[in-house]
Amino acid sequence: QVQVVQSGAEVKKPGASVKVSCKVPGYSITEFSIHWVRQAPGKGLEWMGGFDAVNSKTVYSQRLEGRVTMTEDTSTDTAYMELSSLRSDDTAVYYCILDIPFDYWGLGTLVTVSS
Amino acid sequence: DIVMTQTPLSLPVTPGEPASISCRSSQSLLDSDDGYTHLDWFLQKPGQSPQLLIYMGSFRASGVPDRFSGSGSGTDFTLKISRVEAEDVGVYYCMQRREFPFTFGPGTTVDLK
């Protein structure tokens, strides 16, 4: 059974960066196209970016362009989502998703931005 | 960006009765290259991660009960539950993946009457 395992909750100050990790035990991370979606408390779902398998490149939401970076470390089979210049409205649960298609979601990582 | 709207935003349901949710996109979600409609439906049960119900407009995801069905084309889509069960409560989202950025509808909250 495919599982998506994400890193634990984080508390950050405004202006800092956060890096959330995502692993799929038993699988190479390169087998999947990874996407990230976030959900602010009590709000809906927002797509942040992901791997475009057709064009073999990572695509980001323009709303977050310049602040978000999605990477993979093939030596540890880990995907990362790093968000910089954090603001209070970045407080959200961040989900890692396997695009096969969007059928496997992690449990989410709560990132709280507070001074 | 493609804008997704859903109606209703709140839907009280009676177990055993049918229910339906509409989703509309600001542009057609039909990809003429592959012939597929790039519209997915998700259910987020209370306290859980969203789960895929329907992909490509009408294909049920693995393990999804057959009481769920998706239909529609172009810009208008419908998710139907033939007979609602208590476990179906939660927030339903449609999402377009016709083009980047992928965009979600605002969600429809389904709860029991």
Side-chain angles (χ1 to χ4, degrees), chain B residues 68-87:
Chain B
F68 290 95
S69 64
S71 63
S73 62
T75 61
D76 289 286
F77 306 93
T78 302
L79 176 72
K80 291 183 179 177
I81 311 173
S82 59
R83 289 175 304 279
V84 173
E85 297 192 6
E87 66 182 25

Side-chain angles (χ1 to χ4, degrees), chain A residues 3-8 10 18-25 27-37 49-51 58 60 68-83 94-99 104 106 109:
Chain A
Q3 282 189 298
V4 181
V5 179
Q6 297 183 222
S7 49
E10 303 259 15
V18 68
K19 196 169 186 178
V20 179
S21 70
C22 171
K23 293 174 72 77
V24 187
Y27 294 86
S28 167
I29 202 70
T30 58
E31 292 186 56
F32 309 103
S33 293
I34 304 286
H35 287 248
W36 294 84
V37 165
F51 188 72
T58 300
Y60 300 113
V68 65
T69 307
M70 296 171 188
T71 57
E72 292 179 357
D73 183 340
T74 55
S75 68
T76 59
D77 282 318
T78 305
Y80 295 97
M81 185 284 300
E82 184 169 20
L83 188 62
Y94 290 76
Y95 293 103
C96 171
I97 306 147
L98 309 186
D99 190 12
Y104 295 93
T109 297

Side-chain angles (χ1 to χ4, degrees), chain B residues 30-38 56:
Chain B
L30 173 66
D31 186 334
S32 56
D33 289 338
D34 62 21
Y36 287 109
T37 293
H38 293 269
M56 297 298 194

Side-chain angles (χ1 to χ4, degrees), chain A residues 39 45 47 95 99 101-102 106, chain B residues 44 49 52 93 97 101-102 104:
Chain A
Q39 185 172 37
L45 302 171
W47 179 82
Y95 293 103
D99 190 12
F102 273 50
Chain B
Q44 186 173 30
S49 303
L52 179 68
Y93 296 95
R97 50 185 300 141
F102 294 172
F104 289 90

Side-chain angles (χ1 to χ4, degrees), chain A residues 35 37 39 43-47 50-52 55 59-62 95 99-103 105-108, chain B residues 1 40 42 44 47-53 55-56 61-62 93 95 97 100-107:
Chain A
H35 287 248
V37 165
Q39 185 172 37
K43 303 296 185 182
L45 302 171
E46 178 187 7
W47 179 82
F51 188 72
D52 174 6
N55 297 297
V59 184
Y60 300 113
S61 165
Q62 281 207 318
Y95 293 103
D99 190 12
I100 46 175
F102 273 50
D103 207 1
W105 293 59
L107 296 180
Chain B
D1 297 1
D40 299 340
F42 299 88
Q44 186 173 30
Q48 296 186 18
S49 303
Q51 60 184 95
L52 179 68
L53 295 176
Y55 63 98
M56 297 298 194
S62 176
Y93 296 95
M95 182 194 82
R97 50 185 300 141
F100 292 110
F102 294 172
T103 46
F104 289 90

